[in-house]
Each structure stands twice: as structure tokens, then as C-alpha cells.
Amino acid sequence: MTAFMERVNAAHGLALDDYDSLWQWSIDQPAAFWSAVWDFCGLIGDKGDVVVDDVTRMPGARWFPNGHINFARNLLRPDWDPDADALVFWGETAVKRRLTYRDLCAAVSRIQQALIAQGVQKGDRVAGYMPNMPETVIGMLACAGIGAIWSTASPDFGVQGVVDRFGQIEPKVLIAAEGYFYNGKAHDCLEKIAAIVERIPSIERVVVVPYTRESADLGAIRGAVMWDDVVAPYDAGDIRFDDLAFETPLYIMYSSGTTGVPKCIVHGQGGTLIQQAKEHVLHCDVKPGDRVFYFTTCGWMMWNWLVAGLAARATLLLYDGSPGYPSGNILFDYADAERMTLFGTSAKWIDAIKKAGLTPRETHDLSTVRVMTSTGSPLVPESFDYVYRDVKPDVQLSSISGGTDLLSCFMLGSPISPVYRGEIQKRGLGMKVDVYDENGHPVRGTKGELVCTQAFPSTPVGFWNDPGNHKFMAAYFERFPGIWTHGDWVELTEHGGLVVHGRSDATLNPGGVRIGTAEIYRQVEMLDEVVEALVIGQEWDDDVRVVLFVRLRDGMTLDDALIDRIKKQIRQNCTPRHVPAKVVQVMDIPRTKSNKIVELAVREVVHGRPVKNKEALANPEALDEFADRDELAS
């Protein structure tokens, strides 16, 4: 970050001396900023003679409209040491693999030749029903090189969940693992793969990747062949990197799908690359030779974010399976064994190891870890305390937030700025982020809608099969025309940082006062008895009352004394309006595949309304507990 700022100062005759002045310049001079990011990150391609045609037009601004780029070429860089680690993979305790840069390039070349022979070309879709393993990265790079579009779901998705996603985009090829490991057990996927293929007639070829076994009987799967057999006819050679327009589709991502069939969000090659390169190199200080890890599945956008670390010539540390098997220390074991420099995870996981009483600072070295990132939900102040006390005292703890919608972050860390407990450090460079009240006026030090008021390169190309862009416009630009409304309920602090109070559509509204759900979660989950919680607003007596559901430690039962303690904790640390009218015990909290709790789905169940797409949930059976509760009938 400092080196970038010095280069900007020298090139433009400026005297920028801290993050805030650099951020202001980046939004005041977006063309100069994004051009400087391209140069500083060493992107390979042709910028053309225009950086952005009209930065005030959102959506619709075109970035580097006369240039060309190739995402895969920038991840498989010619300046790599061919014998350096490119990918390291742990599949729980069952599988460990290591691929050098030479190995990775050879594997990409061979599967790319096989896909081309299958007829895959620019614009065709290739879907991965895959764990977070090397072949997933290899398949994506092979597709990106020729302008084919890559889209993934993790193997814990059920058949309907996969069909809801891939069925909309009609892939030509499906790459799928025959199974996966979780909690020490092998889970077979062949029956699900067969059912998926029968329901998506566009699939012409299924490439089955061995993971839990060397070979498998593929007789029941139409068009199926093992990975090794597909690539056998091809020797490793040059990888094809086509010159592509900046907006050429790279990925199709999916909304959570908890309120209907998932939206198919199309992201472009150039916008994804320059945005994620900026975040790795500047915001996370990733340097050549660093070793970057993110705990993620291929059903979450953090997988797509992680793989861009290759563009910074970093080694990717891939992990697939349970983060709690065989103990909660496995990811810290990985950090020590592989000299991890960036440790990426979720706020929920940090909360979980805090509740479990782990003290990695005492059990692990972690000397190489410089940055720890957290996303998925707000990281509460007490979890900041926990990380600095019990994990590592000299780490940059970056709570980051953005989304599948932009395949990057609106707010994230700054290596040259202080970390304040409970706050995301800064608004992202080049991202003109603001907080609006309900009338569209900027506010400071109070809660409001997170908005972005100027175009940015990773704005989606659009939604798949959305004639006239009607769904796309409704998703982000309906509330404030020409301004991206993200759906987060946030506060901009005196430090220039941000506090996320929850999703706007999940905010509570008792007596007409909007309350962020994160404020309640923070207080409740401080109690030792409470493992996690979920809060909704229940329509009641011509108003809305706050209802809190809690999952307690095993063997514990909610009684009047604990209810009183919960309410007292909330009243003393929030306001009387935050105090729930009802506190109800449940055995499980429903969540998406990316581990986000689903307040909206629970709200629908409580009100007797149907949940449109339970297949989007990791544990849909958990919803049954919330229906027809006697406690909520009075």
C-alpha cells in the first residue's frame, strides 16, 4: 500500500500520506486510479486508450472498452518459478497433495485440450460440482483461457439445489467429484450426479474426478468418463490464452436462493481480475511467494476470491472438509505446516473456536501469519479481543464485507491503518461507498443503507437470461436510481471505518424504529450458555415484536432464569426496544451453504408462509422447528 501510494505521488505530483487521502484520490480520479492498479499489480494485457467511458453511469459504465485481457494468463504468469508451489491441498486428514507451477500448467493444458475437443468454446458454460481441490482450479483456468464460463456448486448441495443453479445456465460439460470427505467420513456423489445429468439435458459430457477412491463405476451416469481417461490422449503443451474483451463473461455466481430460485450473476474477466488483484496486493499485502488460505467451499464466492491470489504469484493453500475434524485445531495445524501468511475464515468460525475455549497462541507457532481476514457475517468486538489475546497479538485482523454480487468487497482492511475493535477498517480503494438515510441523504455516526455512488469495474455484466436487464436493475438500482444499494445496514464511524449491523431486509422495526440484528447477536452470544442465535420481527397486534431463538450448549434447557439474563444483557447493553418479547429455544439454526443464518426464511415459517427454495439451505430440516410454536401464539 505504501509503495503504491509513493508511485502515485511520483506519477501525479501528489503528497498523499495516509489511507484516507489515497482513498479520496481513488474516487476523485477513478481513471487514473484503476490504471495505476493495473500497472502496479503487473496485469498482463492491453489497457487500450480509455480506462472508463463514463464513470457517472451506473450501471452501464464500460471499463477499458478498447483493451483486452485474459484472466487465466494473469494467474498462470510467465514470471513464476516453475518449481515453486502453486497449490497445496489438504482434504481433511485423508488426502494431501502438492502441485508446482509446472504441474499446474501441465494439468491446465491437458484438460483444456480435452474441453476444446469436446466442442467447448467461448461463451459455453462448464459447471463444477466440486470440493475445494486442485482440479477445481485447473478446470476454471482451462475454461477462462478460451473464454468459456465457469460456474460451481459444492458437493454437499442436493440434486434440486444444483438443478436450480446449473439448469438455468445449461452447461455443456459437468466436472464432478465422485465423492468428498466430511467429519472423517467419505460421502458418495455418484447417485446425485446421475440424477443431475438426467435433469439437465444440455450436459453432453461428465468428467468425474477421483477423490475418495481411485476409480468408480460410472455406468449409471450418462456421458461420464474419469478425469484421467479424458486427459490421457493429450500431452502437456502451451495453454491457449485468447485475447478477450474486458467484459467477457468469466464466472456465473448465484444469489443465496432462500427467497426463490437463485439469481444467476454474470461476472466479467477484466473486472473480476483487477478488483481482486487490488484486494490481494494492496488491501491484504500479498506478495510473490506468500501462502494464501481461505476456508471456503466452491459454493461460496470466497473460493473465486481465493484463486485470484495466483495473480500475485502466491501459493494457494486449499482445504476441503470440516474445520472441526479431527479437532478445532486443524486449520492452525495447516497454518504452521505450510507457513501460511494470509489466514482467511468466517466470523462464525472465529466465534465457534472462541466458545470452545481454544488458545492457538499457546499451542501453535503462527509466526508466518501476517493477515487474518473474516467475512460472512459481522465480527463482533469480543471476537477482535479473542483473536488478539488468544490467537496472535501482532496480526492485521481484517473484517471484510462485499458479496457475490460484486465478487469483491466494498469495505475491507488497510495494512497502513489502525484496527479498531468491532470495525471494518476502511472503504475499499476506488469504491465510492457511502451510507444513506431513508431519504437518500448521506449520514455519519448513525445507521443507514450501504450504497456505492460511482461505477466500479467488478459491477456484474448482468444476470443470465434477463432480457432488458429488468431483474438486474431491480436488484441493485430500484431504491436509489443510478446508485448501487447493497442491502447492508451499516454505520460509518469517526475513524473512517464501518460497522455492519445486519442485512437491511432483516432489520427489525418495533414501534417504527429500525434495529440491526447484529446488535442483538453480539449481546446474546456473549453468554456462555448460548452457542448461537437468530432473531426476527414477528407481526403482532398491528406492530412488530422482537422474537429471539437461541441454540444452547448440549444438554442445557432454557428456563425463566436464563431468559431473564438474556433480556437483561440486551437491555443493559442496547436499548429497551432491542429486548425480545419472546425467547425460544431451538436445537438448530438454519443456514445457507456458505454458513449464513437465514432470518428471512425463518420469518416466513413463523408467519405460516411458504419458503420458496429450501434447497438453498445446508440444513433445511431445521426450519421445521420454527413452525407453529405455541410460544408465539400469545
Side-chain angles (χ1 to χ4, degrees), residues 27-48:
I27 62 166
D28 288 345
Q29 302 293 331
F33 168 72
W34 288 106
S35 180
V37 170
W38 181 305
D39 294 339
F40 187 82
C41 294
L43 301 189
I44 302 167
D46 179 3
K47 285 192 286 189

Side-chain angles (χ1 to χ4, degrees), residues 13 103 133 175 234 300 368 378 441 445 557:
D103 297 332
M133 63 188 298
I175 299 177
Y234 307 102
W300 192 20
T368 59
H441 300 134
T557 301

Side-chain angles (χ1 to χ4, degrees), residues 549-568:
F549 299 95
V550 292
R551 181 166 76 88
L552 304 180
R553 289 186 181 273
D554 290 345
M556 298 197 69
T557 301
L558 185 69
D559 57 19
D560 290 343
L562 182 53
I563 290 173
D564 288 344
R565 284 185 58 218
I566 290 170
K567 290 185 175 182
K568 183 178 179 182

Side-chain angles (χ1 to χ4, degrees), residues 2-41:
T2 302
F4 176 75
M5 188 157 49
E6 290 173 348
R7 184 177 295 189
V8 167
N9 284 338
H12 297 277
L14 302 172
L16 308 174
D17 61 356
D18 61 7
Y19 183 88
D20 291 341
S21 61
L22 178 61
W23 179 81
Q24 190 65 50
W25 176 79
S26 76
I27 62 166
D28 288 345
Q29 302 293 331
F33 168 72
W34 288 106
S35 180
V37 170
W38 181 305
D39 294 339
F40 187 82
C41 294

Side-chain angles (χ1 to χ4, degrees), residues 176-197:
E178 45 72 33
Y180 63 97
F181 294 104
Y182 199 85
N183 267 341
K185 297 179 181 177
H187 299 262
D188 190 282
C189 288
L190 294 178
E191 189 174 318
K192 292 196 293 183
I193 295 169
I196 290 163
V197 173

Side-chain angles (χ1 to χ4, degrees), residues 167-459:
Q168 294 186 71
I169 67 168
E170 300 179 301
K172 182 176 283 188
V173 175
L174 175 67
I175 299 177
E178 45 72 33
Y180 63 97
F181 294 104
Y182 199 85
N183 267 341
K185 297 179 181 177
H187 299 262
D188 190 282
C189 288
L190 294 178
E191 189 174 318
K192 292 196 293 183
I193 295 169
I196 290 163
V197 173
E198 288 311 307
R199 293 180 60 183
I200 305 179
S202 66
I203 296 173
E204 300 173 3
R205 171 66 72 195
V206 182
V207 180
V208 178
V209 179
Y211 178 21
T212 67
R213 53 197 151 176
E214 289 298 314
S215 61
D217 180 0
L218 307 183
I221 305 173
R222 172 176 57 81
V225 62
M226 294 298 292
W227 175 284
D228 290 345
D229 294 329
V230 166
V231 302
Y234 307 102
D235 294 327
D238 291 338
I239 300 167
R240 194 174 117 192
F241 298 122
D242 294 349
D243 287 337
L244 301 168
F246 201 77
E247 292 188 348
T248 302
L250 168 69
Y251 293 129
I252 295 177
M253 309 296 294
Y254 303 95
S255 64
S256 61
T258 53
T259 56
V261 176
K263 295 186 287 287
C264 304
I265 307 168
V266 184
H267 286 286
Q269 292 234 356
T272 301
L273 175 65
I274 197 168
Q275 184 78 276
Q276 293 180 347
K278 176 203 77 177
E279 294 183 353
H280 280 272
V281 173
L282 299 182
H283 290 279
C284 294
D285 200 34
V286 175
K287 300 178 175 69
D290 277 355
R291 303 171 77 82
V292 175
F293 167 81
Y294 222 102
F295 177 70
T296 180
T297 71
C298 296
W300 192 20
M301 63 150 285
M302 295 314 300
W303 179 85
N304 307 77
W305 189 91
L306 168 66
V307 297
L310 289 171
R313 283 178 288 157
T315 299
L316 304 187
L317 305 181
L318 311 177
Y319 181 86
D320 195 79
S322 168
Y325 179 84
S327 77
N329 285 306
I330 184 68
L331 300 186
F332 295 114
D333 296 342
Y334 198 3
D336 278 353
E338 291 298 336
R339 307 184 310 283
M340 191 182 292
T341 55
L342 187 154
F343 188 127
T345 186
S346 67
K348 282 293 180 187
W349 184 78
I350 293 174
D351 291 343
I353 62 170
K354 177 181 68 177
K355 286 274 184 182
L358 297 188
T359 53
R361 183 180 179 182
E362 298 176 1
T363 56
H364 292 74
D365 178 54
L366 304 180
S367 58
T368 59
V369 178
R370 301 197 311 268
V371 182
M372 191 169 188
T373 58
S374 164
T375 191
S377 57
L379 188 66
V380 298
E382 292 73 22
S383 290
F384 280 76
D385 299 340
Y386 167 75
V387 168
Y388 283 110
R389 182 186 67 241
D390 292 331
V391 179
K392 196 174 188 214
D394 58 343
V395 70
Q396 178 195 350
L397 178 57
S398 292
S399 179
I400 64 177
S401 183
T404 303
D405 316 79
L406 61 153
L407 211 50
S408 55
C409 299
F410 278 130
M411 34 193 171
L412 61 172
S414 161
I416 61 172
S417 305
V419 175
Y420 292 93
R421 66 192 295 268
E423 293 186 19
I424 298 175
Q425 279 181 284
K426 296 293 180 181
R427 293 173 281 186
L429 293 174
M431 308 296 275
K432 196 171 182 180
V433 169
D434 212 331
V435 182
Y436 276 10
D437 65 16
E438 294 190 0
N439 298 314
H441 300 134
V443 292
R444 300 289 180 268
T446 187
K447 305 177 191 71
E449 292 280 357
L450 175 70
V451 297
C452 190
T453 63
Q454 184 170 275
F456 52 91
S458 64
T459 304

